[in-house]
Amino acid sequence: MLIYSLKRLALAVLIVSAAMFLLFTMIYLIPGDPASVALGPRATDAMREALLIKMGLDQPVWIQFWNFFTNAWQGNLGNEILSNRPVADVVMEQLPWTLALIAGGMVWSIALGIPLGCWTAVKRGGLADRAIGVLSIAVIAVPSFVVAIYALLIFAVSLRWLPAIGAGDPGNLGDQLLHLVLPSLAVGLGWVGYIARMVRASMLEVLEAPHIRTARAFGLTDRQITYRYALSIAILPTVTLLGVGIGQMLSSAVFAEIVFARPGVGKLVYDAILTRNYPLVSGAVLVTTALFIAINLIADLVVGYLDPRVRSRL
Amino acid sequence: MNVLEIRHLSVSFAAEGGSLQALKDVSIDVPEHCIVGVVGESGCGKSTLINSILRLLPDNGSIDAGSIHFEEQDLTQAGRPKMQDIRGQRISTVFQDPMDALNPVLSIADQMLHIQYRSGLGRKEKNARSLDMLRRVRIPDPESALKRYPHEFSGGMKQRIAIAMAMMMEPALLIADEPTTALDATLEVAIIKLMKDLQSHIGCSMLFISHHLGLIAELCDQVVVMYAGEVLERGTARQIFHNPWHPYTERLLDCDPGSQSSRMRHLPTIPGEIPDLKKRQEGCIFRSRCQFCEDICHAMPDEIQSNGHHVRCHRRSP
């Protein structure tokens, strides 16, 4: 398990490095020089020259990349343009809000999706199975920002059950959790459908396996068979799916943060793009990329933990 | 005294284009401490027989008639919880393919622990019992084997573990569904010997299903010959192998490669195929492939019995 974890960690570092290279290439290929963007149209050539040297952009491209690369690994993503604060600080300030939102969406979609998937697999072909099947497809098909807007209109504006905007008073955890409900609903709803469908499909496959017949022939109860013998295998593809799905959840978090005027990385990137704050955009993108890779790493490690076959193969 | 008494059992499956009768009027006795062999070609209803006894027929299968008496009760009438109590506890099963018979993500210790959930023992005693069973099926280093997972064992070892699990609750009846077919021929003898040792040690009866005639002859006290979901002949191993009454049994014995004494280019076969079970013909089921077929065979032959040797064939009719 240790060797497996180390291997996966090394691979993750490699992927983040590759992502950095891509990001650097993209920034480098964008027409126009960053100095004139930063200084505005009234800057003199001397000012531009000075900033270029300060930013290290007069160096050959491979040295620029090497500086970017080593600085990024040390947590130095440069300074943003508007307030001249370190990008890393700005992004890290916003990151917990986004993490809370994604965690909220994940937790409730897993808590609902997995039992629904099991239940519909066991009762396959029944009315409940078909109804939940149709509903799952429906919630998968609805874009998360539509859910966000309607959730806002219904639960915050019309019914006034939950707060509409913001993230809650600082230091007041209860208030913050209350503010988290509607955004997580919007981010997680489609995933309830995804997880339910995925778990149902793999449960149906596993329930046909010879070892399930053995378990039945040994007199284990239906509960034991469904939740211990079948679900422990059927859950594996879903864990991998969730790791990959974090990327999609990050993008729906952007919409949720904008609709609910919540702080967060999504909102940060959105505002940075509007103000052409390119260092901030690239820093935030790099951080979310690293986050995505880290969560995939965790998903792989969880699969390795749950499946002894994977553990011993690697 | 019979541990298992199957009487006139008929089982059918709902299929496209009408129902398929997989078992028809099957009667089998399994006496105490006896090993009863069931032989027949593929598709003769051996698996359906096992699934009927365990009441694990798929959703489209149903028991239409007959009874399965086991320890003073009719399993065809037993409810779900009752059957769960019997499975693994009183009737245990070893399946054909050991490669996929154990749960891949649970350790051997966990799986053996779960089987004992009705025993009322503490965790320590259960683990001690698992260890003891692994020792009895001669798994090397049983302590570490308990901690391992099925994929870390070879096919032969997995089948030994499956046998240990099946025997753990000391059942009254062990069903063995071609337990050595998926294994190397060299392992076959060892596994069979192991099962026989455990069977006589525990004192259970065994229903041994196989198409390996040599194995049946060596292992079994009694033999049942099945064809297309019907029992054509049953009796002691001696009666079946030395004095077969049914033409099908005779031809089956002729086809056994082990019985060939001279070299030949082709192994003998029984020409023809198993009839379509969706459209069962009237009369003797083996009629279409029988070299002795006569007009009278269009009527169903009665079961004839003498000294425990049962047969369904007009040639034996008085």
Side-chain angles (χ1 to χ4, degrees):
Chain A
M1 190 68 189
L2 182 70
I3 292 173
Y4 171 66
S5 312
L6 288 177
K7 272 185 190 170
R8 295 290 299 126
L9 193 65
L11 191 63
V13 168
L14 208 68
I15 296 170
V16 174
S17 305
M20 281 179 181
F21 177 71
L22 269 177
L23 190 64
F24 177 83
T25 316
M26 276 194 287
I27 296 168
Y28 188 77
L29 291 178
I30 291 172
D33 73 297
S36 24
V37 175
L39 293 171
R42 283 184 292 170
T44 61
D45 281 350
M47 284 164 77
R48 268 197 288 272
E49 195 84 3
L51 188 64
L52 275 176
I53 291 167
K54 189 179 161 235
M55 291 169 85
L57 297 181
D58 56 334
Q59 309 267 352
V61 61
W62 60 86
I63 292 186
Q64 281 185 43
F65 175 68
W66 179 249
N67 288 340
F68 171 78
F69 186 78
T70 49
N71 282 336
W73 275 116
Q74 289 165 35
N76 177 6
L77 299 172
N79 289 359
E80 62 134 328
I81 290 166
L82 291 180
S83 64
N84 209 29
R85 292 176 60 210
V87 168
D89 291 1
V90 178
V91 176
M92 285 305 161
E93 258 166 40
Q94 302 297 320
L95 194 61
W97 297 109
T98 303
L99 285 180
L101 176 57
I102 290 174
M106 276 270 132
V107 165
W108 90 271
S109 58
I110 289 173
L112 194 59
I114 288 178
L116 274 181
C118 282
W119 190 56
T120 48
V122 172
K123 306 255 172 228
R124 65 187 166 280
L127 190 66
D129 176 26
R130 268 177 275 172
I132 290 170
V134 171
L135 269 177
S136 301
I137 302 294
V139 296
I140 293 169
V142 179
S144 69
F145 65 88
V146 175
V147 181
I149 290 168
Y150 275 97
L152 186 79
L153 281 175
I154 295 168
F155 295 106
V157 177
S158 300
L159 296 169
R160 293 177 181 279
W161 287 351
L162 291 159
I165 55 167
D169 295 335
N172 185 347
L173 191 68
D175 191 41
Q176 290 179 352
L177 284 176
L178 221 54
H179 278 84
L180 197 59
V181 173
L182 287 182
S184 342
L185 177 84
V187 169
L189 186 65
W191 280 91
V192 178
Y194 261 128
I195 295 170
R197 297 304 289 172
M198 189 83 185
V199 169
R200 180 184 180 274
S202 39
M203 274 296 274
L204 284 182
E205 198 178 311
V206 174
L207 283 173
E208 292 297 311
H211 58 81
I212 294 297
R213 188 173 69 145
T214 313
R216 282 194 212 289
F218 283 148
L220 299 187
T221 59
D222 292 340
R223 255 181 96 95
Q224 268 176 316
I225 288 170
T226 308
Y227 291 101
R228 210 186 250 160
Y229 278 66
L231 183 59
S232 57
I233 299 169
I235 198 80
L236 299 171
T238 311
V239 174
T240 312
L241 175 88
L242 284 176
V244 179
I246 285 289
Q248 206 228 321
M249 238 183 199
L250 277 166
S251 65
S252 36
V254 177
F255 291 115
E257 282 166 3
I258 294 166
V259 171
F260 292 98
R262 269 179 70 87
V265 177
K267 183 85 167 44
L268 183 76
V269 173
Y270 174 73
D271 290 342
I273 291 172
L274 289 185
T275 53
R276 293 174 197 272
N277 200 340
Y278 289 130
L280 193 54
V281 174
S282 71
V285 167
L286 191 59
V287 168
T288 45
T289 308
L291 180 69
F292 174 72
I293 291 164
I295 288 172
N296 267 289
L297 174 67
I298 293 169
D300 281 353
L301 291 180
V302 169
V303 169
Y305 175 73
L306 293 176
D307 190 342
R309 293 167 296 182
V310 172
R311 221 181 304 158
S312 64
R313 205 180 305 139
L314 286 152
Chain B
M1 184 59 193
N2 292 327
V3 172
L4 183 75
E5 254 181 44
I6 301 176
R7 287 285 171 274
H8 311 294
L9 183 69
S10 292
V11 173
S12 65
F13 291 103
E16 267 177 73
S19 84
L20 181 156
Q21 197 169 16
L23 292 181
K24 189 185 170 196
D25 201 9
V26 167
S27 296
I28 294 173
D29 291 335
V30 181
E32 251 177 287
H33 310 303
C34 260
I35 303 181
V36 175
V38 178
V39 273
E41 297 168 73
S42 343
C44 72
K46 292 177 287 190
S47 305
T48 307
L49 180 68
I50 298 172
N51 288 335
S52 307
I53 297 171
L54 292 171
R55 296 285 308 281
L56 287 177
L57 286 169
D59 292 341
N60 64 341
S62 65
I63 295 175
D64 301 329
S67 61
I68 302 171
H69 274 281
F70 174 79
E71 295 191 326
E72 339 266 87
Q73 53 189 325
D74 186 355
L75 299 188
T76 59
Q77 306 300 322
R80 246 178 129 78
K82 184 83 227 163
M83 276 319 296
Q84 270 171 6
D85 285 347
I86 290 173
R87 285 181 214 137
Q89 185 98 342
R90 304 305 303 150
I91 302 180
S92 228
T93 318
V94 176
F95 288 104
Q96 182 172 357
D97 190 356
M99 297 321 278
D100 211 9
L102 304 174
N103 192 293
V105 300
L106 297 172
S107 69
I108 302 295
D110 278 347
Q111 299 191 44
M112 295 187 88
L113 212 62
H114 297 158
I115 296 170
Q116 301 176 71
Y117 74 99
R118 291 189 223 74
S119 66
L121 296 172
R123 204 187 162 85
K124 257 201 182 122
E125 285 129 317
K126 285 183 192 168
N127 272 329
R129 185 149 179 70
S130 307
L131 205 59
D132 181 48
M133 281 315 295
L134 288 186
R135 228 172 255 134
R136 278 212 235 167
V137 296
R138 283 175 221 111
I139 296 285
D141 194 4
E143 282 90 358
S144 85
L146 268 184
K147 292 191 202 95
R148 289 196 273 161
Y149 293 86
H151 71 276
E152 298 173 66
F153 295 93
S154 66
M157 282 297 150
K158 269 190 233 183
Q159 195 64 308
R160 279 170 194 268
I161 293 168
I163 291 168
M165 287 178 179
M167 293 295 209
M168 194 150 59
M169 303 308 287
E170 309 205 328
L173 175 68
L174 179 74
I175 299 173
D177 180 10
E178 308 206 21
T180 57
T181 309
L183 300 177
D184 292 341
T186 45
L187 288 171
E188 191 162 42
V189 181
I191 294 282
I192 293 299
K193 188 173 173 326
L194 182 71
M195 291 184 81
K196 193 163 168 125
D197 285 353
L198 282 170
Q199 179 260 339
S200 59
H201 186 263
I202 289 170
C204 65
S205 306
M206 191 150 104
L207 191 63
F208 189 88
I209 288 157
S210 180
H211 54 243
H212 191 325
L213 289 167
L215 215 57
I216 296 263
E218 206 165 306
L219 185 70
C220 299
D221 307 302
Q222 299 196 8
V223 180
V224 176
V225 180
M226 285 187 71
Y227 177 78
E230 292 184 28
V231 173
L232 296 185
E233 182 169 11
R234 62 192 168 106
T236 64
R238 207 177 165 75
Q239 286 165 341
I240 300 294
F241 283 99
H242 292 281
N243 184 24
W245 284 351
H246 201 283
Y248 176 63
T249 315
E250 276 175 38
R251 307 212 52 184
L252 206 58
L253 294 177
D254 287 341
C255 294
D256 181 23
S259 70
Q260 309 306 331
S261 49
S262 57
R263 289 165 65 98
M264 53 183 77
R265 211 165 262 286
H266 301 287
L267 285 170
T269 51
I270 307 176
E273 284 168 24
I274 287 189
D276 186 357
L277 298 183
K278 278 186 195 163
K279 293 178 280 229
R280 269 182 182 276
Q281 58 201 18
E282 282 292 304
C284 175
I285 189 80
F286 187 59
R287 188 178 82 217
S288 56
R289 296 168 80 182
C290 183
Q291 76 243 59
F292 306 110
C293 181
E294 293 170 45
D295 284 348
I296 190 171
C297 297
H298 290 264
M300 190 69 186
D302 290 327
E303 192 176 70
I304 297 154
Q305 197 255 117
S306 107
N307 289 332
H309 194 166
H310 301 247
V311 72
R312 269 190 196 278
C313 182
H314 287 294
R315 294 178 74 222
R316 278 285 149 184
S317 298

